[in-house]
Amino acid sequence: MPAITCASNVLLPGSPITSPTTPTTATTSDSAVTSLSSGMASLSISTCIKTLIVDDNVITAKLLSKILSKEFGHDTTCTISGKDALLKLSRETFDIIFMDIDMPELSGIETTLLIHAKNSNVLEQNRHIPIIAYTTNPCEDRFFEAGMTGWVGKPAKQMMVRQELERVYREARPSPPPSSSSSP
């Protein structure tokens, strides 16, 4: 079955990119790109965030897609299985993945391990992007042991998604070099 593309974009005035307006942003201006809300500016807002949602439940995938596209300006693609995700990741690059854990054929854990495997057909750029567990299961160590970088519970809530995106991108962002101050 082909991947379902679900996208909805909000255009910021004075900017060719899509991005959300957030409750913490009082006005939308050209400077809104750099001052969205705490942490969200670190989401590389200057380019559209391509997000792959892997979920065998079309309804929960669409719910997450709606939150990511309308609230955060992500360009989302939904696939319904681990196998479909691996195929998509072998042909197209993404910035982040939301991975269901309990799926038939390949679980989210198995799919994550295959994404990171050196002998997989996944494009090299896709092997190093954040993968967030998207599941009804409680957060478990096995998600992180498989190489996932975060966890969001179902059904997705905007604030929960925001907090996890901010945390994951904050941790993925390189630290600034220490300032060199010379004192006499």
Side-chain angles (χ1 to χ4, degrees):
M1 173 180 259
I4 306 163
T5 300
C6 326
S8 176
N9 299 310
V10 178
L11 187 61
L12 286 178
S15 175
I17 55 137
T18 57
S19 181
T21 54
T22 62
T24 58
T25 302
T27 61
T28 303
S29 67
D30 289 347
S31 65
V33 171
T34 57
S35 64
L36 282 172
S37 70
S38 62
M40 288 308 286
S42 67
L43 289 180
S44 185
I45 290 297
S46 63
T47 59
C48 188
I49 304 293
K50 286 185 63 177
T51 303
L52 180 63
I53 300 169
V54 185
D55 194 340
D56 62 322
N57 183 322
V58 176
I59 294 170
T60 57
K62 284 184 179 183
L63 174 64
L64 180 59
S65 176
K66 183 177 179 181
I67 290 170
L68 290 168
S69 62
K70 290 191 184 243
E71 300 300 327
F72 306 112
H74 286 213
D75 177 14
T76 62
T77 299
C78 303
T79 62
I80 60 168
S81 74
K83 285 185 178 183
D84 288 344
L86 292 170
L87 182 62
K88 198 75 169 152
L89 291 164
S90 72
R91 297 179 176 168
E92 189 176 339
T93 59
F94 289 89
D95 299 306
I96 192 166
I97 300 168
F98 282 82
M99 181 75 67
D100 185 15
I101 296 299
D102 297 318
M103 296 184 290
E105 295 184 61
L106 284 176
S107 72
I109 300 285
E110 293 167 322
T111 304
T112 298
L113 291 170
L114 289 170
I115 290 168
H116 294 299
K118 292 183 182 197
N119 61 347
S120 75
N121 291 331
V122 170
L123 296 173
E124 186 64 30
Q125 303 93 306
N126 289 330
R127 291 191 190 155
H128 308 288
I129 62 175
I131 300 174
I132 297 175
Y134 179 53
T135 180
T136 56
N137 299 337
C139 187
E140 299 176 26
D141 287 341
R142 67 186 181 119
F143 304 158
F144 302 98
E145 290 165 2
M148 294 180 172
T149 52
W151 171 87
V152 170
K154 289 181 185 179
K157 304 267 188 289
Q158 177 189 355
M159 187 53 72
M160 182 188 318
V161 172
R162 173 183 298 282
Q163 289 171 344
E164 194 61 5
L165 284 172
E166 288 176 349
R167 187 195 65 75
V168 165
Y169 276 93
R170 187 173 46 250
E171 288 179 7
R173 192 177 53 195
S175 301
S179 62
S180 57
S181 60
S182 55
S183 28

